[in-house]
């Protein structure tokens, strides 16, 4: 198969990517004065790059002849051929120097490009709620996030033109504005919940199962890692998923219960008093202990209004669970 000497092959030669046969033919070709034109074209194809490797020369953005002059000055004395004119040639040694200079410039350009891309990224705003505090956040697309106590949310001040990505730790209820061509994605560790327009709740606390519940619409939940991605579930209204230690559990849920965080309600379904106490500690920033361990394992099913004081909730729990409690040094003791 014949090898055609053209601009692309010259560029390939300068990048050090030629086969042995291609390299031999190009070396022979470059001894011909006619090679000057193709060499110029190969360099011109990259003239738009910011050749920062030359920034210490007299020109920061070299024109074509400047680039060639600077490169030849770095290579050293030129060889003359043919009567009637001087022609610059590339020996194997000079070709290696060319390749090094080209690759160095490409590396600097790549680093510069990536740095610029990084600089173009929108800085994330972070909202952190301590225990005992909840907040309502309105995002730039008019989506609303009801962020729970002991939770945090990172989000861009303004979403990009293609995506809407936010990052959650803890619990939040979302009312997402519909934008069909701009998915809304909630990142919680290795799990992503993607929607187009819906309302749903996520709980993603450390050492707790991840929970996603849908009040309206549809969401897709995926597990994403650096080496793989898999779909965990597609949820519609009244469905929820529990993801714990790579185990997936699909269940149904009353859509009204999914609104609890937004409406400041707490719904417990066959929950132990210990689990209920954990939620109350986060919502009210209090410490609750049990005098008897057996009491903490008792289970209850009820819904309480969490817009009032902790005492009102404890009175309801005490009546339903048949226990007493007292407050000592700021600590609630259930006995």
């Amino acid at each position: 198969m014949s090898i055609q000497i053209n601009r692309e092959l010259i560029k390939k030669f300068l990048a050090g990517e030629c086969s042995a046969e291609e390299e031999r033919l190009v070396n022979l070709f470059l001894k011909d004065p006619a090679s000057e034109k193709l060499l110029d074209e190969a360099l011109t194809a990259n003239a738009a790059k910011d050749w920062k490797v030359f920034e210490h020369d007299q020109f920061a953005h070299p024109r074509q002849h400047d680039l060639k002059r600077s490169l030849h000055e770095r290579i050293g004395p030129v060889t003359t051929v043919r009567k009637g004119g001087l022609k610059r040639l590339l020996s194997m040694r000079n070709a290696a120097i060319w390749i090094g200079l080209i690759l160095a410039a490409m590396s600097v350009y790549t680093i510069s490009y990536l740095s610029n891309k990084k600089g173009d990224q929108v800085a994330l705003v972070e909202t952190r709620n301590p225990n005992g505090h909840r907040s309502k956040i309105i995002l730039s697309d008019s989506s609303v996030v009801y962020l729970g106590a002991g939770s945090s949310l990172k989000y861009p001040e303004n979403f990009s033109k293609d995506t809407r990505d936010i990052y959650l730790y803890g619990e939040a209820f979302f009312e997402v504005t519909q934008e069909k061509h701009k998915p809304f994605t909630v990142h919680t560790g290795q799990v992503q919940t993607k929607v187009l327009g819906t309302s749903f709740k996520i709980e993603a606390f450390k050492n707790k199962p991840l929970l996603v519940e849908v009040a309206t619409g549809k969401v897709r939940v995926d597990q994403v890692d650096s080496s793989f991605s898999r779909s965990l579930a597609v949820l519609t209204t009244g469905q929820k998923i529990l993801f714990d230690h790579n185990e997936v559990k699909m269940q149904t849920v009353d859509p009204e219960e999914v609104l609890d965080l937004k409406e400041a309600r707490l719904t417990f379904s066959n929950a132990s008093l210990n689990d209920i106490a954990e939620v109350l500690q986060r919502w009210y920033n209090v410490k609750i202990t049990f005098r008897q361990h057996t009491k903490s394992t008792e289970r209850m099913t009820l819904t309480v209004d969490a817009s009032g004081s902790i005492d009102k909730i404890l009175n309801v729990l005490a009546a339903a669970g048949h226990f007493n409690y007292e407050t000592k040094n700021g600590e609630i003791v259930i006995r």
Side-chain angles (χ1 to χ4, degrees):
M1 180 180 69
S2 62
I3 299 176
Q4 182 180 2
I5 304 294
N6 54 27
R7 186 177 67 184
E8 294 304 313
L9 184 60
I10 297 297
K11 289 167 62 178
K12 186 177 177 182
F13 172 79
L14 293 176
E17 298 174 351
C18 283
S19 65
E21 178 62 15
E22 289 173 332
E23 185 173 319
R24 185 184 68 81
L25 292 175
V26 172
N27 271 299
L28 290 174
F29 174 72
L30 288 174
K31 293 180 180 180
D32 189 320
S35 67
E36 188 84 354
K37 181 180 179 181
L38 274 181
L39 188 59
D40 285 342
E41 291 177 353
L43 288 171
T44 301
N46 290 309
K49 288 185 170 61
D50 183 9
W51 296 90
K52 292 190 176 181
V53 72
F54 298 100
E55 61 187 359
H56 296 300
D57 291 0
Q58 295 177 349
F59 37 84
H61 303 280
R63 296 182 298 275
Q64 180 66 25
H65 65 86
D66 291 328
L67 178 58
K68 290 182 64 180
R69 174 168 59 82
S70 182
L71 283 171
H72 285 307
E73 286 174 354
R74 293 169 186 230
I75 291 171
V78 300
T79 304
T80 60
V81 297
R82 294 196 179 187
K83 184 178 179 179
L86 295 177
K87 294 298 176 181
R88 303 169 190 264
L89 301 178
L90 291 172
S91 65
M92 289 297 293
R93 175 176 174 273
N94 287 346
I97 297 174
W98 273 76
I99 292 169
L101 289 171
I102 296 293
L103 293 180
M106 291 175 65
S107 298
V108 172
Y109 170 78
T110 301
I111 294 172
S112 173
Y113 174 77
L114 293 177
S115 297
N116 289 336
K117 289 293 287 183
K118 184 176 181 181
D120 290 342
Q121 291 178 353
V122 179
L124 295 179
V125 178
E126 182 172 15
T127 298
R128 289 177 173 268
N129 286 348
N131 287 344
H133 181 74
R134 291 174 285 118
S135 61
K136 177 181 177 181
I137 303 166
I138 300 178
L139 303 177
S140 62
D141 64 343
S142 298
S143 295
V144 182
V145 182
Y146 297 85
L147 186 63
S151 305
S152 64
L153 187 73
K154 291 183 180 180
Y155 53 96
E157 187 173 357
N158 292 290
F159 288 119
S160 71
K161 63 179 182 179
D162 299 318
T163 60
R164 294 178 289 171
D165 291 274
I166 65 175
Y167 303 83
L168 169 70
Y169 170 80
E171 66 174 353
F173 178 81
F174 300 86
E175 292 179 333
V176 178
T177 301
Q178 184 173 7
E179 293 189 26
K180 290 184 178 180
H181 304 293
K182 196 172 179 179
F184 186 101
T185 305
V186 184
H187 300 264
T188 48
Q190 292 185 355
V191 176
Q192 297 178 359
T193 303
K194 183 171 293 187
V195 303
L196 293 176
T198 186
S199 58
F200 61 102
K201 177 186 175 183
I202 296 179
E203 286 185 13
F205 289 105
K206 186 177 181 180
N207 299 324
K208 293 284 186 181
L210 180 131
L211 169 69
V212 181
E213 300 176 321
V214 178
T216 61
K218 179 188 292 186
V219 307
R220 191 181 78 212
V221 185
D222 300 319
Q223 182 184 15
V224 180
D225 200 353
S226 58
S227 58
F228 74 95
S229 174
R230 67 162 174 153
S231 176
L232 299 180
V234 175
L235 306 176
T236 57
T237 301
Q239 291 185 318
K240 71 176 182 179
I241 181 178
L242 283 166
F243 180 62
D244 188 23
H245 295 95
N246 287 325
E247 183 180 353
V248 177
K249 291 183 180 179
M250 289 276 294
Q251 299 176 355
T252 59
V253 62
D254 184 344
E256 282 298 313
E257 290 184 13
V258 186
L259 301 174
D260 283 352
L261 183 57
K262 175 186 176 182
E263 304 294 341
R265 293 192 306 259
L266 291 174
T267 298
F268 303 104
S269 178
N270 194 34
S272 69
L273 272 176
N274 186 66
D275 290 339
I276 294 173
E278 283 189 13
V279 175
L280 294 179
Q281 288 179 126
R282 188 172 68 248
W283 274 61
Y284 287 93
N285 193 26
V286 296
K287 184 177 181 180
I288 301 176
T289 59
F290 293 86
R291 184 164 293 177
Q292 296 180 344
H293 174 72
T294 54
K295 193 66 183 178
S296 68
T297 62
E298 293 183 8
R299 296 186 172 273
M300 302 179 66
T301 297
L302 77 165
T303 298
V304 294
D305 180 2
S307 62
S309 67
I310 182 68
D311 285 325
K312 292 180 67 173
I313 292 181
L314 287 172
N315 288 336
V316 173
L317 291 173
H322 307 291
F323 63 80
N324 296 315
Y325 72 93
E326 60 182 344
T327 302
K328 284 186 177 182
N329 301 321
E331 180 177 318
I332 298 171
V333 181
I334 294 177
R335 58 181 194 274

